[in-house]
């Protein structure tokens, strides 16, 4: 196979584990080359390897979406829900064809207050709006023509099921299996205690407007940040394309929750006690 690979962290260039992975892949007969931007991807590339953590995967996913190439996350980072695969397992799994391609939903954002030439309008995990000063935000959300009660909070996020273990989790959102066809709407540090995260179908169209004492707010999309006027209208929905992601057959989302988040860790769930 022709394999592209993407590395974000300079410390991983020349790292012994990375070099061992690349050596084993070449020995198995694969052609490898490095990429840094979408134009680097060569024709007839079979997949892109993202070497690092989930932050690297999010950047690599942008390269892969442009070219329609599936991406495989190889974990050289910390938690690794998107890049969950241990490098030692990857060469044998690829040689055996022991993997499948799954599709992950992307969010698309429309906002007329951002320059089109600098703005990539898609996100895999989540988009969020947040305040720039101690003053709270009023966030008005319309879902398919229906207005929700105003959120008074530090901000608001809209997450995909892929992003349910990212920022959404830290603000009290639910964990969703990656195959779940939903978006999560969750306030960030809400000042009205009777609001909770809301699950909406992935077919929903959302319109977000802000009330703020400040002139600007921050729009974040995965690991990218933009300044928007406080009066901006931000429209969010499903993107017209999806990210194609390689999943090794041995990978298991529930096991990843147990091992990475210690989900359900309890002395009562252990083995037989003396």
């Amino acid at each position: 196979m022709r394999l592209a690979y993407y590395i974000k962290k300079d410390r991983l260039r020349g790292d012994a584990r990375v070099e061992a992975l690349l050596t084993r892949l070449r020995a198995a007969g694969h052609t490898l080359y490095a990429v840094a931007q979408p134009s680097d991807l060569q024709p007839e590339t079979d997949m892109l390897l993202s070497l690092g953590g989930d932050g690297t995967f999010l950047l690599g996913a942008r390269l892969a979406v442009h070219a329609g190439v599936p991406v495989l996350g190889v974990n050289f980072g910390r938690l690794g829900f998107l890049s969950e695969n241990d490098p030692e397992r990857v060469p044998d799994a690829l040689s055996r064809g022991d993997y499948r391609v799954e599709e992950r939903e992307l969010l698309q954002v429309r906002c007329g207050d951002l320059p089109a030439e600098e703005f990539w309008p898609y996100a895999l995990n989540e988009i969020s709006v947040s305040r720039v000063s101690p003053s709270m935000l009023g966030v008005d959300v319309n879902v398919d023509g229906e207005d929700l009660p105003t959120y008074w909070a530090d901000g608001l996020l809209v997450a995909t099921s892929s992003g349910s273990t990212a920022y959404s989790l830290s603000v009290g959102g639910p964990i969703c299996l990656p195959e779940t066809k939903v978006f999560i709407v969750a306030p960030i540090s809400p000042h009205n205690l009777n609001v909770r995260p809301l699950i909406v179908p992935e077919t929903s169209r959302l319109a977000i407007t802000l009330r703020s004492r400040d002139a600007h707010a921050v729009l974040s999309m995965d690991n990218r940040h933009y300044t928007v006027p406080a009066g901006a209208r931000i429209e969010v929905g499903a993107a017209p394309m999806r990210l194609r992601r390689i999943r090794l057959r041995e990978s298991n989302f529930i096991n990843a929750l147990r091992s990475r988040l210690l989900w359900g860790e309890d002395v009562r769930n252990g083995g037989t006690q003396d």
Side-chain angles (χ1 to χ4, degrees), residues 2 5 9 17 19 24 30 33 45 52 55 107 109 121 140-141 145 153 182 187 224 230 239 253 261 272:
R2 180 179 293 274
Y5 65 91
K9 300 286 188 181
R17 292 181 72 202
E19 291 302 315
R24 287 183 62 192
H30 303 296
Y33 67 96
T45 297
L107 291 167
V109 168
D140 293 310
V141 183
V182 298
R224 312 185 308 279
F253 182 73
L261 294 183
T272 302

Side-chain angles (χ1 to χ4, degrees), residues 150-255:
T150 300
Y151 293 94
W152 294 100
D154 288 356
L156 183 102
L157 66 82
V158 180
T160 64
S161 55
S162 296
S164 71
T165 51
Y167 193 5
S168 175
L169 184 65
S170 71
V171 301
I175 294 174
C176 301
L177 296 179
E179 300 82 9
T180 310
K181 309 296 186 184
V182 298
F183 293 147
I184 302 162
V185 181
I188 302 167
S189 301
H191 291 250
N192 38 356
L193 300 181
N194 58 346
V195 296
R196 294 291 182 270
L198 178 69
I199 301 294
V200 301
E202 67 175 11
T203 55
S204 299
R205 305 295 303 181
L206 290 81
I208 299 171
T209 54
L210 307 177
R211 309 182 195 182
S212 176
R213 295 177 182 174
D214 300 303
H216 297 92
V218 176
L219 168 65
S220 299
M221 301 179 61
D222 289 340
N223 48 9
R224 312 185 308 279
H225 307 283
Y226 308 92
T227 299
V228 296
R233 176 183 171 90
I234 301 164
E235 298 179 359
V236 184
M241 81 289 282
R242 297 189 177 204
L243 172 71
R244 298 171 64 212
R245 178 177 179 272
I246 300 291
R247 183 172 185 175
L248 303 188
R249 295 192 195 282
E250 294 180 4
S251 66
N252 182 290
F253 182 73
I254 300 300
N255 287 342

Side-chain angles (χ1 to χ4, degrees), residues 5-23 26 34 51 76:
Y5 65 91
Y6 173 72
I7 298 175
K8 172 190 173 187
K9 300 286 188 181
D10 288 338
R11 64 176 177 79
L12 288 180
R13 303 183 194 280
D15 180 271
R17 292 181 72 202
V18 171
E19 291 302 315
L21 170 64
L22 299 179
T23 298
R26 290 189 180 101
L51 309 184
F76 291 96

Side-chain angles (χ1 to χ4, degrees), residues 28-155:
H30 303 296
T31 300
L32 280 85
Y33 67 96
V35 297
Q37 54 191 1
S39 59
D40 294 335
L41 280 161
Q42 301 173 6
E44 299 182 359
T45 297
D46 294 288
M47 67 178 68
L48 170 68
L49 306 183
S50 169
L51 309 184
D54 283 354
T56 300
F57 186 96
L58 292 172
L59 293 173
R62 179 173 178 175
L63 305 181
V65 168
H66 271 291
V69 173
V71 58
L72 170 65
V74 186
N75 189 20
F76 291 96
R78 293 187 291 271
L79 286 179
F81 279 97
L82 296 169
S83 295
E84 84 272 34
N85 301 295
D86 295 329
E88 292 77 14
R89 293 173 46 206
V90 169
D92 289 341
L94 294 186
S95 295
R96 294 192 305 264
D98 205 10
Y99 61 89
R100 63 185 177 89
V101 179
E102 63 181 13
E103 293 188 340
R104 293 290 183 94
E105 191 71 69
L106 297 169
L107 291 167
Q108 181 177 22
V109 168
R110 292 182 174 86
C111 180
D113 293 284
L114 291 171
E117 65 275 8
E118 301 176 8
F119 180 57
W120 195 64
Y122 306 112
L124 175 62
N125 273 348
E126 76 277 315
I127 72 98
S128 66
V129 289
S130 56
R131 64 183 185 172
V132 295
S133 78
S135 298
M136 74 179 75
L137 284 177
V139 186
D140 293 310
V141 183
N142 180 284
V143 180
D144 293 331
E146 294 289 336
D147 291 328
L148 303 182
T150 300
Y151 293 94
W152 294 100
D154 288 356

